[in-house]
Amino acid sequence: MKQLLKKYFGYEEFRPLQREIITHITEGKDTLVLMPTGGGKSVCYQLPALMMTGTAVVVSPLLSLMRDQVEALKANNIAAAALCSMNDDTENLIIRQECRRGELKLLYISPERVLAEAEGMLREMQISLFAIDEAHCISQWGHDFRPEYTQLGTLRERFPQVPVVALTATADKVTREDIAKQLHLREPKLFLASFDRPNLSLDVKRGFTRKEKNLAIVEFIQERAGSSGIVYCQSRKATEELAAVLQRAGIKATFYHAGMAAERRNNTQDDFINDRIPVVCATVAFGMGIDKSNVRWVIHYNLPKSIESFYQEIGRAGRDGLPGETLLFYSLEDLILLKKFAEESGQQEINKERLDRMQEYAESSICRRRILLSYFGEESSHDCGNCDVCRNPPLKFDGTVLVQKALSGIVRCEGKVGFRTLIDLLRGSLSQEVSEHGYHRLKTFGVGRDIPARDWKDYLLQMLQLGYLEIAYDDHNHLRVTEAGREVLFGRQTATLVTIDREERELLYNRKKRTAAKRTKEAKLFKSEPTPLNTRDTEQLFEALRALRKQLADEEVLPPYIVMSDKVLHLLCQHRPTSIEAFGEINGIGEYKKKKYGPQFIRLIQQFV
Ligand code: ADP
Ligand code: ZN
């Protein structure tokens, strides 16, 4: 098994659970695989496909996913094809013939087609196994329910001797059980991989205004020039606006959302996959069909509605195992909007609960990875050291007086104020709302003048999280003081708040300081994780390798990451192989790529040795 892994995929070692899963499948048993995005699910059914006689039939929900997988397999000289509407009739005819003659090791197919062919072509084939990719699509409980998936359970009865493996990155327990049931799996063994992705850094920025967010994003991207990333926005309009902002700053960026014509969407996706446009501002419609392994960062412009979707989205960064960065912007406005959506949704309780957990992540004052992992039912015994809380533990102070000021403001307005007016009241600004209701005559008017409005917003968020106040979403988002809040208001309890870190934002406006801060940050990074790019020469070699990869990819009309992953390029930089044998020993270079690409890469590397 290990030899085949090296020969075809170029990898030296199995990732956790891969070996066990492969063994189980090749024994002809049904299997349910839960692994995070980027965990290495494909190998789990592709290697059995190579080991077993016949053709593996892989059901996949998206054309682009199928195409990507087939290209990656072919690039490793594995006989694979996708039967789909993107091919013309002749192509599909040829694929059918190949299937009947048993010439393919893997056949990718859509759920509709697999059912349509079940009593036809599939009967004439020797099928080694069925793999149901993105299996959560079968469940109404999952977040991507697809009606086309519901009939797939009949495959189990129609082909009783063929093992079925279902794979998904959705860990939800309800969904998991539903998948096994709907697919009629026979005593399936569940393989649950760890959902930890230690190479992804986690970062949350709170209370940025739109302008501040835009500025921060521009700088973030400029500091990582040329690297691929996605900015997820809540609305279609926001994706277009942000893309324009980035373009004005000289960044090669574009947008993507479901409101665009299909052709334009496909082109955008292609440009991203082929490294022609590094940055895409997108709604969540973007990404499910993307296997691009060298996405280096994912930014959330707005708060996502659940940890489930958040994790799926950030999971698109760093699939190749190299560091990936994630950044979430969190604001009160987003929270209020999402709460409202949740209230109005069909599954109110579930959606509110999901949002609460997301909020917990965004507001956490303990290691954020612990929150994520505990959501997926994993206990972690240590802080991760790769999230903003770990790197920069929050400072706390006695905020009792501050809380009392805010809460007494709410009480004096008889629970008829929202956030904005309350802040006006505390800050002593005579807004229309304030004067209309005569709030300027209250004792609390102006008691919080010394604190900027946006800091008040932040503190109020904290009070919300601490449970001192709540928002009446069904009553104009007015604020209410809770029982716990009263305890503080009447001096029976003290309140601890977290100081607001303004440093980051000030740095945005102050280049010199920022560069200095960046250097210390980098120094720290290098200490914990030596990256190979530490000398100029290496950097030049990396760029040269990247250019060669792009050239080869263009010649073959393939995405660059299919020719070679970023990780392989880094390893080439580090080890600088100058013989074919040494080139073949690089993790990620299989036999076929060794012969095919070796000579050109070696020639290039020799110039640097
Ligand atoms: P998933 O489908 O779970 O999101 P993939 O199957 O696309 O993940 O794998 C993610 C990345 O990890 C791919 O680049 C893949 O080639 C790589 N990979 C898979 N198995 C191994 C392994 N044993 N060693 C090194 N890399 C691996
Ligand atoms: Zn941490």
Side-chain angles (χ1 to χ4, degrees), residues 367-369 383-387 390:
C367 173
R368 289 194 209 278
R369 200 170 312 266
D383 289 348
C384 77
N386 196 17
C387 73
C390 281

Side-chain angles (χ1 to χ4, degrees), residues 5 11 13-15 18 36-43 293 319:
L5 182 72
Y11 300 128
E13 299 291 337
F14 284 104
R15 292 234 182 108
Q18 281 180 333
T37 317
K41 283 187 284 300
S42 324
V43 168
S293 70
R319 278 189 180 219

Side-chain angles (χ1 to χ4, degrees), residues 404-417 422 425 442 444 479-481 486 489-490:
Q404 286 171 336
K405 284 179 182 171
L407 298 187
S408 86
I410 298 172
V411 171
R412 280 169 204 274
C413 297
E414 289 156 2
K416 294 238 176 303
V417 282
L422 177 63
L425 167 71
L442 295 177
T444 18
L479 304 174
R480 305 263 159 82
V481 178
R486 263 181 261 284
L489 183 58
F490 300 124

Side-chain angles (χ1 to χ4, degrees), residues 401-472:
V401 176
L402 226 117
V403 174
Q404 286 171 336
K405 284 179 182 171
L407 298 187
S408 86
I410 298 172
V411 171
R412 280 169 204 274
C413 297
E414 289 156 2
K416 294 238 176 303
V417 282
F419 272 107
R420 204 163 300 157
T421 313
L422 177 63
I423 293 173
D424 287 339
L425 167 71
L426 293 167
R427 299 250 317 125
S429 60
L430 209 58
S431 64
Q432 198 185 343
E433 277 273 295
V434 169
S435 58
E436 234 169 54
H437 294 90
Y439 292 154
H440 53 291
R441 287 191 288 272
L442 295 177
K443 244 178 94 183
T444 18
F445 185 71
V447 289
R449 192 170 272 131
D450 52 325
I451 294 171
R454 60 179 185 200
D455 288 8
W456 266 120
K457 231 196 242 174
D458 196 310
Y459 290 133
L460 288 170
L461 251 182
Q462 294 188 36
M463 292 177 215
L464 188 66
Q465 175 69 2
L466 289 165
Y468 298 148
L469 54 87
E470 56 191 15
I471 302 177

